[in-house]
């Protein structure tokens, strides 16, 4: 198969999957216009119709592309969106790609997200210690000679608050200042996949497992994002424990991130937990209004855009926890202005936030959602959060979990607590199960829509 054929094939598979997962309007606006350009190693490039579209795709849909790619078993987890003219400028838009690709692979490519730098990170009270620690690590990774070592550096906090950004910032800094260092950024999920793949390949390739161990134990800096997802099964944690020790003993830097502190990760071996706790732990909490305003201003100035202060304040007040959503809302305003050739006004800002409006203004909380589900299914709320497993109750419970995940911006662990102390993996399972059924099962999809509109109306 030529690269061109491979690219087409991957693109078709990904687009098909996205057409199922996204609303048709969203699909037609963002995904349909994309032209597949190339696949190179784990990176896939698409041509986007405009720079704005390329930016939105990266910030808004980048993770979804990775998730989808993983879920359909494609070996790409890095998606690049560029306009045709950006590609031409980068000298990467020629037909004789295959030769070129080999050349690129000889030079080292920066594997880190370019915009996730320290310069682009707004430091404030909610993240001051974490960002200073990350910068220190970037400047002197693994310096075990000091009495006070930042090894491992463990950063935790809720979704969309900048953990991945900081990890990539360390990577970008080292790529620039210490280009010969072998710096690995990975996620717990990816390292798990690598490990199990190496075991599966063992029958045909006796070196597969050794190569896996070597890759991770012989790097200079190992960053593992979202370690709460490190699976306990199959000896993975034991292997990771040894990798950790190899690195640590050799004075190599380890950086970990998670949505919670080690002591709150249930599914982890004690000895690994105590390793995680043995360096510096620091949390990132929700940003204050001032910080949110500063973040919006920084994002605007780095993309040469401007907005009136009252619009900035409106946005910062409405979207008050997750910075990823804040960026999404901001992009939506800019896109709306570009699409309709209007100047940004408060009306446009309100229009852009319309879908989210009810989420942010009317007080929707988990009790309200559970009560509506309870009314709809005629099942007591106590059974919805309880342990009974009859078919109706299980369906109602999963629908309630799905709606809480969709409508409220809460960490999975908290949602688990709301639903009678269930583990976050159960929450993910229920959420994804209902998401899947919405496409396939009319009854479930109608229930979800009816309940959602009832909640929004009031
Ligand atoms: P997490 O990994 O904690 O879920 P991310 O690192 O993916 O969150 O951050 C979500 C988005 O918010 C990213 O686009 C990131 O650049 C942005 N962001 C988060 N915190 C800040 C900050 N302090 N300054 C600038 N951007 C931020
Ligand atoms: Mg992250």
């Amino acid at each position: 198969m030529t690269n061109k054929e491979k690219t087409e094939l991957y693109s078709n598979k990904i687009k098909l999957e996205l057409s199922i997962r996204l609303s048709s309007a969203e699909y037609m606006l963002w995904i349909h216009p994309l032209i597949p350009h190339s696949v190179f190693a784990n990176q896939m490039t698409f041509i986007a119709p405009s720079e704005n579209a390329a930016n939105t795709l990266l910030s808004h849909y980048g993770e979804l592309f990775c998730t989808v790619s993983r879920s359909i078993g494609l070996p790409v987890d890095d998606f690049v969106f560029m306009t045709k003219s950006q590609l031409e400028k980068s000298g990467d838009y020629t037909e004789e790609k295959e030769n070129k690709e080999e050349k690129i692979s000889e030079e080292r490519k920066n594997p880190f997200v370019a915009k996730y730098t320290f310069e682009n990170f707004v430091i404030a009270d909610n993240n001051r210690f974490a960002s200073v620690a990350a910068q220190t690590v970037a400047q002197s990774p693994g310096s075990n000679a000091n009495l006070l070592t930042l090894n491992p550096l463990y950063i935790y906090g809720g979704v969309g608050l900048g953990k991945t950004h900081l990890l990539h910032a360390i990577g970008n800094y080292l790529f620039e200042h210490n280009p010969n260092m072998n710096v690995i950024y990975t996620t717990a999920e990816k390292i798990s996949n690598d490990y199990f793949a190496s075991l599966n390949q063992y029958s045909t390739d006796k070196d597969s497992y050794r190569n896996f161990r070597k890759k991770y134990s012989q790097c200079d800096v190992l960053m593992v994002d979202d370690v709460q997802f490190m699976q306990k099964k199959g000896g993975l944690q034991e292997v990771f424990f040894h990798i950790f020790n190899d690195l640590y003993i050799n004075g190599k830097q380890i950086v970990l991130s998670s949505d919670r502190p080690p002591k709150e990760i249930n599914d982890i071996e004690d000895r690994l937990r105590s390793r995680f706790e043995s360096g510096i732990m620091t949390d990132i909490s929700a940003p204050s209004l001032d910080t949110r305003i500063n973040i919006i201003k920084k994002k605007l100035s780095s993309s040469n855009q401007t907005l009136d202060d009252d619009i900035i304040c409106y946005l910062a007040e409405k979207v008050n926890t997750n910075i990823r959503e804040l960026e999404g809302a901001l992009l939506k305003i800019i896109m709306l202005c570009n699409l309709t050739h209007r100047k940004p006004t408060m009306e446009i800002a309100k229009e852009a936030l319309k879908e989210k409006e009810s989420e942010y203004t009317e007080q929707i909380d988990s009790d309200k959602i559970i009560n509506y589900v309870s009314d709809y299914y005629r099942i007591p709320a106590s059974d919805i959060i309880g342990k009974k497993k009859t078919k109706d109750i299980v369906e109602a419970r999963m629908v309630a979990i799905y709606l809480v995940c969709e409508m409220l911006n809460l960490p999975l662990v908290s949602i688990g607590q709301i639903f009678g102390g269930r583990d976050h993996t159960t929450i993910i399972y229920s959420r994804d199960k209902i998401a899947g059924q919405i496409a396939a099962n009319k009854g479930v999809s109608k229930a979800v829509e009816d309940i959602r509109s009832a909640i929004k109306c009031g």
Side-chain angles (χ1 to χ4, degrees), residues 59 63 115-116 120-124 126-127 157-166 225-226 257 284 291 295 298-299 322-324 327:
S59 64
E63 261 176 42
K115 62 176 188 165
Y116 287 174
N120 288 341
F121 195 79
V122 174
I123 300 182
N126 66 314
N127 61 30
V159 281
L161 297 183
K163 301 181 297 294
T164 298
H165 187 135
L166 282 179
D225 212 350
D226 291 322
S257 93
I284 302 186
T291 306
I295 289 175
K298 185 137 207 167
K299 304 270 168 200
N322 182 329
I323 297 171
R324 191 175 298 131
E327 283 181 346

Side-chain angles (χ1 to χ4, degrees), residues 318-381:
K318 288 287 175 218
V319 190
N320 54 17
T321 46
N322 182 329
I323 297 171
R324 191 175 298 131
E325 287 203 11
L326 194 60
E327 283 181 346
L330 182 61
L331 273 165
K332 205 159 172 191
I333 295 177
I334 293 170
M335 283 307 296
L336 262 179
C337 293
N338 287 350
L339 281 174
T340 55
H341 304 289
R342 286 183 287 171
K343 281 210 150 47
T345 58
M346 198 56 137
E347 279 61 51
I348 295 189
K350 288 190 172 155
E351 194 180 328
L353 284 187
K354 206 163 51 197
E355 279 169 38
K356 297 272 173 199
E357 186 87 335
S358 58
E359 242 173 76
Y360 299 125
T361 51
E362 289 165 23
Q363 284 300 311
I364 298 179
D365 57 19
S366 56
D367 283 347
K368 184 165 179 182
I369 296 175
I370 291 170
N371 286 336
Y372 272 92
V373 174
S374 155
D375 286 351
Y376 186 91
Y377 282 92
R378 296 175 198 281
I379 288 171

Side-chain angles (χ1 to χ4, degrees), residues 68-120:
V68 160
S69 164
R70 231 180 281 132
S71 75
I72 54 179
L74 296 181
V76 275
D77 58 8
D78 182 9
F79 288 89
V80 178
F81 306 96
M82 287 174 123
T83 61
K84 205 165 154 187
S85 68
Q86 284 173 326
L87 271 166
E88 275 161 356
K89 264 189 223 138
S90 75
D92 204 17
Y93 191 73
T94 51
E95 292 306 321
E96 76 273 16
K97 284 236 20 90
E98 315 241 331
N99 297 339
K100 271 217 155 155
E101 281 166 2
E102 273 158 31
K103 272 197 212 126
I104 297 171
S105 76
E106 282 162 21
E107 294 162 23
R108 258 189 74 225
K109 265 186 69 220
N110 182 349
F112 304 103
V113 176
K115 62 176 188 165
Y116 287 174
T117 58
F118 288 121
E119 291 75 29
N120 288 341

Side-chain angles (χ1 to χ4, degrees), residues 2-284:
T2 65
N3 191 288
K4 195 156 184 260
E5 285 163 347
K6 185 161 88 177
T7 309
E8 286 284 332
L9 178 71
Y10 286 10
S11 164
N12 290 341
K13 286 187 170 180
I14 290 172
K15 283 187 170 181
L16 179 67
E17 186 67 23
L18 286 170
S19 71
I20 299 168
R21 295 197 186 205
L22 295 172
S23 71
S24 48
E26 224 175 341
Y27 178 81
M28 288 313 287
L29 181 61
W30 300 112
I31 312 299
H32 182 68
L34 287 176
I35 301 168
H37 173 257
S38 60
V39 173
F40 174 58
N42 65 335
Q43 187 177 75
M44 176 154 190
T45 305
F46 281 100
I47 302 177
S50 68
E51 271 186 44
N52 266 318
N55 291 340
T56 307
L57 281 155
L58 183 64
S59 64
H60 227 65
Y61 295 95
E63 261 176 42
L64 181 64
F65 270 78
C66 293
T67 313
V68 160
S69 164
R70 231 180 281 132
S71 75
I72 54 179
L74 296 181
V76 275
D77 58 8
D78 182 9
F79 288 89
V80 178
F81 306 96
M82 287 174 123
T83 61
K84 205 165 154 187
S85 68
Q86 284 173 326
L87 271 166
E88 275 161 356
K89 264 189 223 138
S90 75
D92 204 17
Y93 191 73
T94 51
E95 292 306 321
E96 76 273 16
K97 284 236 20 90
E98 315 241 331
N99 297 339
K100 271 217 155 155
E101 281 166 2
E102 273 158 31
K103 272 197 212 126
I104 297 171
S105 76
E106 282 162 21
E107 294 162 23
R108 258 189 74 225
K109 265 186 69 220
N110 182 349
F112 304 103
V113 176
K115 62 176 188 165
Y116 287 174
T117 58
F118 288 121
E119 291 75 29
N120 288 341
F121 195 79
V122 174
I123 300 182
D125 286 344
N126 66 314
N127 61 30
R128 194 175 309 279
F129 192 81
S131 46
V132 170
Q135 287 183 39
T136 311
V137 159
Q139 283 155 12
S140 51
S143 51
N144 278 351
N146 295 338
L147 213 49
L148 184 71
T149 71
L150 298 180
N151 207 10
L153 169 61
Y154 187 104
I155 302 176
Y156 65 94
V159 281
L161 297 183
K163 301 181 297 294
T164 298
H165 187 135
L166 282 179
L167 264 50
H168 278 264
I170 295 175
N172 275 314
Y173 184 96
L174 287 169
F175 190 84
E176 191 183 333
H177 294 87
N178 274 321
N180 293 327
M181 255 193 185
N182 179 1
V183 181
I184 297 185
Y185 164 88
T186 185
T187 61
E189 202 173 347
K190 177 152 192 312
I191 207 168
S192 306
N193 291 344
D194 267 14
Y195 169 66
F196 291 116
S198 81
L199 296 187
N200 287 338
Q201 284 156 13
Y202 190 73
S203 56
T204 50
D205 172 10
K206 292 279 174 279
D207 287 331
S208 61
Y209 173 71
R210 201 166 340 128
N211 289 339
F212 163 82
R213 265 297 288 271
K214 221 159 101 185
K215 171 174 165 195
Y216 290 103
S217 324
Q218 296 191 354
C219 63
D220 297 303
V221 177
L222 177 61
M223 300 190 277
V224 186
D225 212 350
D226 291 322
V227 285
Q228 73 273 14
F229 292 127
M230 186 156 298
Q231 300 174 29
K232 206 168 188 176
K233 66 172 193 207
L236 172 69
Q237 289 192 6
E238 184 181 345
V239 172
F240 188 67
F241 176 78
H242 293 301
I243 291 174
F244 186 108
N245 288 344
D246 286 347
L247 292 170
Y248 188 82
I249 288 165
N250 290 316
K252 307 299 186 187
Q253 180 70 45
I254 301 147
V255 183
L256 307 163
S257 93
S258 171
D259 64 351
R260 65 198 102 157
K263 67 173 185 309
E264 286 175 25
I265 309 181
N266 294 332
D267 211 18
I268 196 173
E269 289 178 16
D270 283 339
R271 57 180 178 169
L272 201 51
R273 188 195 321 278
S274 76
R275 283 290 183 278
F276 287 0
E277 287 171 340
S278 64
I280 290 281
M281 288 187 283
T282 165
D283 70 324
I284 302 186

